[in-house]
Amino acid sequence: SLALPGVFVRIDETLEEAAYRTIKEEIGSCDIYLEQLFTWGDIERDPRMRIISISYMAIVSPHKLKLVKGERVSEVKLYSVNKLIDTKEKLAFDHMKMIKYAIDRIKNKVAYTKIAFEFVEEEFTLPQLQKVYEILLNKTLYKANFRNKIKELVEETDKMTEKQPHRPSKYYRLRETEYEQNKGIFKR
């Protein structure tokens, strides 16, 4: 059955180091957003033995993905999260619960963090960013209201889209506040 990537934590590494090791082994990159998600400890979650898992949520741009088949797996493949949930695809252990928990976490974080910006390139158009918000929130947003809400978070670049069938769009980037520049918050 399908399973999320994971490893056992080595005696000489931290939880975060184990998470980054998994990411490096499975997708070949560590330049990503990573956040501890939840600790899973139901008694019979793994029929082999008592296993406690600490799950992490990683967000990585598709152009950074380089899927690598490691020693522990027969195949590495990307799946649409919505299709996995809708088709009731069989996942190992409680991995479906983990996926649903991560989706809920992202939806909740959209309201009070800049996590949506992890799903766009460094420079993006406002329609691209709005589409990300709509996907994460699972609802259609009114263009004018959306732009009003995010105007303090973005700054224009001097670039425009080219060779589009519609009117060119301006490119924007995430505006970093002085606090973020000094503390490294939400840095890429």
Side-chain angles (χ1 to χ4, degrees):
S1 68
L2 300 176
L4 294 172
V7 295
F8 287 104
V9 179
R10 294 177 180 154
I11 197 75
D12 62 342
E13 71 183 346
T14 66
L15 295 173
E16 192 170 276
E17 288 168 343
Y20 277 114
R21 178 168 54 89
T22 303
I23 291 164
K24 185 134 180 84
E25 288 175 8
E26 302 290 341
I27 65 169
S29 174
C30 283
D31 182 24
I32 62 170
Y33 175 94
L34 183 69
E35 174 183 329
Q36 193 176 104
L37 186 62
F38 194 76
T39 302
W40 306 88
D42 288 350
I43 294 169
E44 295 181 13
R45 56 180 299 273
D46 187 329
R48 299 170 297 184
M49 66 178 114
R50 178 70 193 270
I51 299 284
I52 297 170
S53 294
I54 292 90
S55 58
Y56 282 79
M57 174 175 70
I59 301 171
V60 60
S61 175
H63 77 277
K64 289 183 182 178
L65 286 175
K66 192 173 53 180
L67 300 180
V68 179
K69 185 179 125 185
E71 297 173 15
R72 303 176 314 273
V73 297
S74 59
E75 181 181 17
V76 177
K77 195 173 175 181
L78 293 178
Y79 290 85
S80 161
V81 171
N82 290 334
K83 285 183 183 175
L84 279 176
I85 292 169
D86 291 344
T87 62
K88 306 291 186 228
E89 182 76 44
K90 178 70 175 137
L91 265 71
F93 316 116
D94 51 2
H95 291 192
M96 183 61 77
K97 280 174 70 173
M98 291 179 185
I99 290 171
K100 289 178 178 178
Y101 195 87
I103 291 168
D104 288 344
R105 169 77 61 86
I106 291 170
K107 282 181 183 178
N108 291 331
K109 288 182 77 94
V110 167
Y112 66 93
T113 72
K114 298 176 187 171
I115 196 167
F117 289 88
E118 295 293 332
F119 292 91
V120 292
E121 299 296 327
E122 283 205 34
E123 294 183 347
F124 49 85
T125 65
L126 293 183
Q128 289 170 337
L129 184 61
Q130 181 172 338
K131 185 67 177 169
V132 167
Y133 272 87
E134 289 175 341
I135 289 168
L136 296 177
L137 296 170
N138 196 27
K139 67 179 181 180
T140 303
L141 301 173
Y142 183 61
K143 181 178 170 180
N145 289 346
F146 172 75
R147 290 179 182 216
N148 189 44
K149 285 207 180 255
I150 58 113
K151 68 183 177 191
E152 299 300 321
L153 300 176
V154 299
E155 62 188 10
E156 282 186 32
T157 70
D158 57 354
K159 297 178 185 172
M160 302 276 289
T161 58
E162 296 177 0
K163 300 178 184 171
Q164 300 293 323
H166 45 77
R167 198 173 102 218
S169 294
K170 292 179 184 178
Y171 277 100
Y172 291 79
R173 70 178 146 250
L174 176 61
R175 176 180 293 154
E176 288 189 54
T177 66
E178 185 177 325
Y179 175 76
E180 290 165 344
Q181 289 169 353
N182 293 333
K183 299 291 184 183
I185 297 174
F186 295 106
K187 288 235 173 173
R188 291 181 178 271

